Amino acid sequence: MNNLGMFYALGRGGLARNEEEAERLFRLAAAKGNLTGRSRLAALRDKLATQRGAAAAAEPAAVAEARKREEARKTALLDKRAEFRQAMENGKTERNGAAAASRIDPTVSQSVTVRAHRHAEPAVEILLEAPPPE
Amino acid sequence: MRRITFSLAASAAFAAASAAADDRSATLARACDLAAASMDDTARPADIAGVALSKIDANTAIAACDAAIAAEPKNPRLLFQMARASFAAKDYDKAREFYERAASRGYAAAQLYLADLHERGLGGAPKDDIEAARLTKLAADQGNPAAQNHLGTLYALGRGGLPRDDREAARLFKLAADGVTLRL
C-alpha cells in the first residue's frame, strides 16, 4: 500500500497524481502498524498542510493582484483611447506637414506610422500612408 | 454377532484415537501458529494475527513448531513457521533449510522469504537477485500480496533481471493493496 501510495503521490506508472488516494493508502498502511506508512502519511500530511496553508495565504494576494490588474487594464484603455485620439490628431498634422515637406523636399518620408490600440487588445500597428504628393 | 460387535468396537476405538491424534496435531499446530505465524502468510488460519519476525520468542516458537512438525512433518505452514523461528534465533542455515522445504511444496510465503535470503545472501544462500525475483514471482502468481508488492518494487527499480516497468509495478501494487484490503 505504501508503494501504491507513493505511485499515486508521484503520478507514476500510468496512475493519475492523486494525493488524497496516496493519503488513504498511507493511512491504511499506518493503521496496520506499518512504520513506513506512518512516516509517509506524516510527510504527506505535512506537505498537504503546507500547500493548503500557502494557498489560503496566497488567496487575498491573488485577489488583490487581480483587482490591480483590472484597474491597470482600465486605466491603460483610457490612456490608449486618449493616445489614439492624440495620435490621430498628430497624424493629420504630420501628414499635412509631410505633404508640405514633400512639396519642399521629395526625399522626406512619405509615410507616417501611428501606433494605435483598440480596447485592451495588444498593440496593433496601423500604417497610415501619407497622402501622395500633391 | 460377537465378531461384528468386536469389529464395531475396534472401528470406534480407531476413530476415537484418530480424532484424538487430529486434536493433538491441531493443538500443536495452533501453538506453532501463535508463536511464529507470519502476517505476510495469507494461508495462515483466519483467527491468527501473525507475529512480526522481531517479536518472535525464538525458544518458545522453535519448541512449539518442533512438536507440531513431529505430528505433521509435511505441513508446509509449520515448516515455514519453523524457518521463521530459526531466523529469529539467527540460525540462518536452519531457516534456509526449512524455507526451502516449505517452498518446494509450493508454499507462497516460504517462497517469498526464501527470496529474501537470496537477495541478502543469508543462510548460505548465494546472493542472487535473479533467483530472488524468480521466487518472488512464484509467490506473487499465487496471489500473495506481500510478494506482489515486492515484485512491483523490483519492476519499479528494474532489479532481479526484470526490466524497469512502472506500469507493471503499479499493476502489482494495486493487486497487493486489494489483497491486503480484502484481508483487513
Side-chain angles (χ1 to χ4, degrees), chain A residues 5-23:
Chain A
M6 282 306 288
F7 266 42
Y8 271 114
L10 299 171
R12 270 181 69 175
L15 302 176
R17 190 170 169 164
N18 186 340
E19 282 168 337
E20 282 73 25
E21 181 64 3
E23 188 178 5

Side-chain angles (χ1 to χ4, degrees), chain B residues 118-131:
Chain B
H118 280 288
E119 258 183 36
R120 296 157 66 180
L122 283 177
K127 193 166 165 30
D128 186 344
D129 279 355
I130 291 176
E131 177 62 4

Side-chain angles (χ1 to χ4, degrees), chain A residues 25-75:
Chain A
L25 289 162
F26 292 152
R27 197 168 52 243
L28 274 175
K32 281 169 61 73
N34 185 294
L35 293 177
T36 310
R38 279 183 202 166
S39 62
R40 285 183 178 170
L41 180 62
L44 184 64
R45 281 182 173 164
D46 276 353
K47 186 185 164 196
L48 290 175
T50 306
Q51 283 176 352
R52 284 168 191 152
E59 200 167 8
V63 170
E65 183 63 27
R67 189 179 298 112
K68 205 171 152 185
R69 275 202 302 272
E70 179 63 13
E71 283 168 5
R73 190 183 72 82
K74 284 178 182 170
T75 308

Side-chain angles (χ1 to χ4, degrees), chain A residues 1 3-4 7-8 12-15 25 28 32, chain B residues 149 153 156 164 166-167 170 173-174 177 180 184:
Chain A
M1 276 187 274
N3 290 328
L4 184 59
F7 266 42
Y8 271 114
R12 270 181 69 175
L15 302 176
L25 289 162
L28 274 175
K32 281 169 61 73
Chain B
N149 187 56
T153 308
R164 188 171 169 165
D166 274 1
R167 282 185 185 272
F173 291 154
K174 274 187 176 175
V180 171
L184 272 175

